[in-house]
Each structure stands twice: as C-alpha cells, then as structure tokens.
Amino acid sequence: MCGIVGYVGHRDALPLLLNSLERVTYRGYDSFGVALLNGQGIEVYKSVGTVEECRAQVPPLQGTLAIGHTRWSTVGKVSVDNAHPHLDCSGEVAIVHNGDIDNFSYLRQRLQDQGHSFRSETDSEVIAHLIEAYSNGDIVDAVSRAMRELEGSFAIAVLHRPSRQIVAARRESPLVIGLGKGEAFIASDIPAILPYTNQVAFLEDGDLALVSEEGLRVWHDGREASRQVHQVSWSAEQMSKGGYDHFMLKEIYEQPQAIRDTVTEYTEQSRGGPSLGCFLPVTDPDVVLLLGCGTSYHAALLGEQLLSRLLPGPVVARVASEFQAGSLRSDRGLAIAFSQSGETTDTITALRHVKSAGFSSLAVTNVMESSITRAVDATLYTRAGPEVAVASTKTFISQLVALYVLAYQLAPDRQAVEMIPRNLRALPGKVRQLLANVETIQQVARELAEAPYMFVIAKGLDVPVALEGALKFKEVAYLHTEGYPAGELKHGPFALLQEETPVLAIVPADQHRARMLTTIREIKTRGSRVIAIAAQDDEEVAEFADSVLRIPKIDPLMSPVLNTVMVQLLSYYCALERGCPIDRPRNLAKSVTVP
C-alpha cells in the first residue's frame, strides 16, 4: 500500500519525483524519501510526514536518475530510518518497495551472518542487501536472483550506481511504466505520471524490467517479453481539486458524470430502444458468487440483494479476505469480483479459489489492465475516472451502476428489469438535484458531529447502504458508527440507545416502508434522535422522525444510489465539522495490496 515512483531521462528529477509522490500520497503518508544518482554517487533524503508538509525542507538534490517512495508502515514503526529508499552496505544500490516480504527474518539473519549491516527495522531493507550479495556487475541478473529468494508480495524499483540503471520488478503488487521521448517513468499508479506522459505499459506478475531513456526491456521467467503500450484517457486535470476544499467533495460532485459515462459505455441501441450489456463468460449461471473487500464488499452485498430478486438460482456475497471455496462447486457458476483499484490482494487470491471450484469469473474495476483483469475471464470497467480521496465515493456509485447493468443482462424475466435503462439514464439528473440542496444536510451533519456514536439502519436493498454509510462515518469523521438491518436493533443494540445516540434511518418507498416506520417509533420511545432519509413525497415519515432528508423520487429499485450519495454528504460534512483530515484518514491507504 506504499507508493513508488522513479525517473530516468534528461530532466531535473527531484521536482518531478516530489510532484509524483504527492499524486500517490493516498497510498501512504507516514513518511517519504527520494534517492538520486549524481556525479559522485547516490544521494538520499528521507523524512517523516507527507511531501506536502515537508517539501520546503528537501535539499536541492541533483540528478536525472532517481527513485522515490511514500510509506504506509507495516513492518517497523514510523521513523526516518524506516522510511524508504534503503541502501545496501556499499551505497551502490538503493531500493524502494511496496508489499510484504514474508521470509525477511530468515533472510535478514542470513545476511547479517554474512557481514551485512542493517539500519532499519523494515522487511524491505533485506532486498537491497540481497541484491548486493548477488552483485556481479550485471544488475538485472542480481535483481533476478534476489527475486527468486523473496517470499511474499513486492513491487520494487532499484537504482544502481555503477551501471547508472534502474531495474523494476513486481509480484502481486502493481507497477506501471510511463514512456516519453528520451525518458521513462515508474509508478505504483497511473496518476503519479499523468502530467508527464499518457503512454504506459503495465508490468505483469513476475516481470523484471530494465527502464532507460531508450525505453523498456522486460523479462519473464528468464525470457525476454514484450508489454503493450496503452494510451491513458485520464487527464492530469482530473487529479486536481478543481476549486473544491477536498478531493472527497469533488469526487462526490463528479458522480453524475461517472454514472453517465459508465451507463454510456454499456448502452446499445436496439429495435426496442436502448439496452444494456457487456460480455459475460456465462449468460445463464446456476449460481452467482459476489466478492469484495471494504466498500467493494458492500457493493457485493447490494448485488446479492438485487440479483436474488431477479435470478432463479442462489446469489451469495462473501468477504474476499475470508473466502474459501469449500463445498461450493459449479461449472456454470459466475463469480463477480469488485475492486476499485484492481489490485486488492485478498480479492485476487479469492479468485484463485473460485477458479478451482469451476466458476467463470468477471471483474468489476475502475483501472484498466490492473492485476485483477488478468485473473478473470472478462472485465466490466467502470468509468469513474481517477479517485484520489482514500474514502471511496464515485467508484462505489459506479460499481452500483455496473450491478444494474448486470441485473438487466442476467435477469430471465425481461419485464422485471425493463425500467432499468430508463432509470439509469435519469440517475445523473437525480443526483445533481440532490447535490444542489445541501443546506439541510450540512445542518444535520453539524448535529451528528456532537454525538459519541451513532447507528445507521435500513431494510432490504438499503442494508448495504447502511453498512457503507457507517463505514464512511468511521473512515472520514472518526465517529464510531454501526450499520444494522433495522430488525436487528432489538437483538442487542437497543441497549445502547440513549438521548445522545442519533439513529440515521433509511426509509424506502417499497414493501419495507411500514416496518421501517414501526422501528422508528420504537427508537423514539427510547429517547434517541432519529434522522430519516426518505423520498421527496413521503409526508408521513415527518410525523415520526426529528429530521427528514429528502431524495428525489425514483423507482425504489434504484433508490440505493441516491441514498448512498446522501450518506456520503453527511459523512463528509460531519468530518468537516469535527476537523478531520478528510482525504487522508489516519492509518488508512487507498489500495490494500498486501494480505
């Protein structure tokens, strides 16, 4: 979950590296560092904190070959010594690393016995010393031999002083190579290098690459290989705040466009009007399995609710990090894996279990050529554009849109889903309508900011929305919040209801509405404040709730999208009131690329 950048070419590397590191700060912001090759050797600067906070303190290091790193600590506390880059004993090799080395304790002891001296507590430093141990004048060979000894996941960039070369390698953790005229770039994610090039090649699992001004050479399993160069459609401007105070708020307001772009991607014109569809490896599955972690798991849960209503066979959602195939077997099963980054290690690992159980697989992801796309039979790309804030907003909404596309395509009863294309086309306007009236939302958020803890409750399709809303309050507002199916409050959590305990209740305009109103009445008898999210024309709910937040009228099947936008705004303004670092919550990183 750390961020890696690198550069080789004709430019002054330091400003470029610092700019690139700022763009992948969402990968980690405990500490950062750079290593540059000048005329005398490798110069290193490291600091605790973010590039943005410490930029003015960075000395004017000179060099046109360089690597950099922003850290999310896993092994070793946050300190300057544990920050990357790490050097070997001779100072001839500098490395940056993202991932976890499982056998680092054994390797460290062995290297110490051989006379190597370590300066940090990290697992990463063993890589530099292991490369040094295999150095024979050929840095590509030395890195290749070191890779064979490493157990675990890694993406590494290696700066070698004697050869004046940079070598990159990956196993399970992502690396992208940017190509320009007489220059090349290395990064964990595309946004790091977007200001400098839109021509990129994605390293595959097990690749070893030599990155130089002449371009890119790749080896895989000891043989030279080629990697396709892609043109990225994202722009550098999309990575700026665009006048908003936070990336999270900007990305919430970008959701109408994200919905429109994703719908357009999978809309086809037919005789009967617009229809939706993408390539599916199985069109009539006898069982559907949905996998995800964190926010993506909540998308999977909503998929379980939605598809269970429409498909004749079982539909099951599972947390990817806990998934084992067990007795689950099917030659006509379809596994749908959700991952915003396409690099979530636990989800990719779960897909291996899925394949062993005979399932065909489909990925729903926002990043082209990400690792998950090579682990599945087909990919449904969401078109959310780059998302910088650690808390997912527009990528989650795009995953929900993808679910409606899949529901429309998979449902055997066409009449049950005929309204989906029409409602998806209306959604961007409905979301814009909600976003245009935030004054009441801001007022409610100010009240919630005073609470010691709170609940979000719902029924039916909105239960995953309640869980996602609770996660958002925890992530960005540091407000302990629990999401529950409404009927479950009486099975324990009622004991926690007090006057200072607000309950956010999502009231649907479907068969669950009456039971939700009953639950609200029961909560009110315990003295807790109730804030309801309800349809524009639901007048009765105001008789029971203390405050009502209105969403535009839409088919109840689609209302989870609007309810999600509402809880996103509430969590954002609550975090703003509580003075939290909204885009960079403590202890969190955007992409979880370690198990």
Side-chain angles (χ1 to χ4, degrees), residues 184-231:
F185 310 82
I186 303 169
S188 297
D189 291 329
I190 293 170
I193 55 179
L194 269 181
Y196 310 108
T197 183
N198 65 351
Q199 303 295 311
V200 301
F202 299 91
L203 295 188
E204 296 186 5
D205 214 33
D207 277 357
L208 174 68
L210 180 64
V211 185
S212 68
E213 298 97 322
E214 286 75 38
L216 175 67
R217 291 183 68 189
V218 178
W219 293 266
H220 190 92
D221 290 336
R223 297 179 180 179
E224 195 150 2
S226 61
R227 295 290 172 254
Q228 184 180 354
V229 177
H230 302 264
Q231 182 169 315

Side-chain angles (χ1 to χ4, degrees), residues 212-398:
S212 68
E213 298 97 322
E214 286 75 38
L216 175 67
R217 291 183 68 189
V218 178
W219 293 266
H220 190 92
D221 290 336
R223 297 179 180 179
E224 195 150 2
S226 61
R227 295 290 172 254
Q228 184 180 354
V229 177
H230 302 264
Q231 182 169 315
V232 179
S233 59
W234 297 351
S235 68
E237 288 71 26
Q238 288 177 286
M239 299 300 298
S240 68
K241 289 182 183 176
Y244 290 89
D245 291 334
H246 297 93
F247 278 108
M248 182 180 176
L249 186 62
K250 173 177 178 277
E251 287 155 7
I252 289 172
Y253 275 82
E254 286 175 341
Q255 289 179 134
Q257 190 63 48
I259 294 169
R260 186 179 302 280
D261 289 347
T262 302
V263 172
T264 300
E265 181 76 15
Y266 299 103
T267 299
E268 301 171 348
Q269 293 296 325
S270 63
R271 289 183 182 178
S275 62
L276 302 170
C278 66
F279 171 74
L280 294 177
V282 181
T283 56
D284 58 342
D286 58 358
V287 59
V288 175
L289 173 67
L290 303 113
L291 298 165
C293 296
T295 286
S296 290
Y297 173 60
H298 297 152
L301 281 174
L302 201 146
E304 179 184 61
Q305 290 268 4
L306 177 63
L307 295 178
S308 292
R309 298 183 178 196
L310 302 171
L311 302 186
V315 180
V316 183
R318 290 287 184 269
V319 177
S321 60
E322 293 295 319
F323 177 74
Q324 297 288 333
S327 61
L328 193 62
R329 295 284 186 276
S330 174
D331 293 331
R332 281 184 42 235
L334 176 62
I336 305 172
F338 297 84
S339 173
Q340 173 268 322
S341 66
E343 303 293 346
T344 310
T345 298
D346 287 328
T347 305
I348 295 171
T349 300
L351 283 169
R352 297 194 188 105
H353 297 298
V354 163
K355 285 195 171 184
S356 69
F359 280 68
S360 297
S361 55
L362 173 76
V364 178
T365 185
N366 194 48
V367 182
M368 69 174 188
E369 294 297 317
S370 49
S371 296
I372 201 170
T373 65
R374 290 184 285 276
V376 293
D377 300 309
T379 302
L380 194 165
Y381 285 109
T382 56
R383 300 301 181 185
E387 187 175 71
V388 177
V390 168
S392 173
T393 52
K394 64 176 179 173
T395 53
F396 178 68
I397 289 293
S398 299

